[in-house]
Amino acid sequence: MTLDITVDVRSAVPPFEQIRRQIATVVDAGLLPPGSKLPTIRALAADLGVAAGTVARAYTELEAAGVVVSRRRTGTVIAENPGRAPVGTAVHDAAAVLAQRVRADGLDEDAAVAVLRAALARLP
C-alpha cells in the first residue's frame, strides 16, 4: 500500500500532527500491517513539501505511542504490536466505500469528517 498523506497548510492543525494522525489512522484501520516500511523522513518531507524536521517529529510521536519502530539500518516500520485494536472488517469496508464516495463527490477531508460526525450524533 502506498501512503496517501496530504498536508493542508491552511489548517489550524500543525503539519506534523496532520502527518501523525493520518499514519496512525492507516495503521488503526489495518491498512499497513506490522513490519511495513514507511518512507524515509527525507522522502516523505520532499513528497509533502514540508521540512524534514516536521516528518521527523511525526515519526517520533508515533514511535513514542508504540505505533512505529525506527531503526538505523531498516528505517521506520510499523510496530509488531501497535497497541491498538484493529477496526472491524465491516467498519473498514464501510470506511473504504465512504472514502471513495467522498472523493467522487469532490468533498474535502474536513467536510467528510463533519458529515460522519453528524451521522454519529444522530444515533441513539
Side-chain angles (χ1 to χ4, degrees):
M1 166 183 192
T2 307
L3 277 179
D4 185 21
I5 295 176
T6 59
V7 173
D8 180 0
V9 295
R10 296 169 291 158
S11 174
V13 178
F16 81 89
E17 179 62 14
Q18 292 178 48
I19 296 166
R20 187 204 63 77
R21 283 181 187 174
Q22 291 175 64
I23 293 172
T25 299
V26 169
V27 173
D28 285 346
L31 297 174
L32 281 176
S36 297
K37 190 171 181 179
L38 293 179
T40 66
I41 290 171
R42 287 184 182 149
L44 187 55
D47 288 347
L48 297 175
V50 298
T54 300
V55 175
R57 181 166 178 192
Y59 280 17
T60 298
E61 295 206 5
L62 288 164
E63 188 167 20
V67 176
V68 302
V69 176
S70 296
R71 295 188 186 102
R72 183 169 285 209
R73 291 189 177 176
T74 58
T76 303
V77 298
I78 304 304
E80 287 301 318
N81 182 6
R84 292 176 153 76
V87 175
T89 302
V91 173
H92 173 76
D93 292 345
V97 169
L98 177 60
Q100 289 174 347
R101 188 67 207 194
V102 164
R103 291 287 188 241
D105 287 355
L107 290 175
D108 66 16
E109 187 177 321
D110 291 336
V113 169
V115 168
L116 179 59
R117 283 191 177 129
L120 288 168
R122 288 190 297 269
L123 294 177

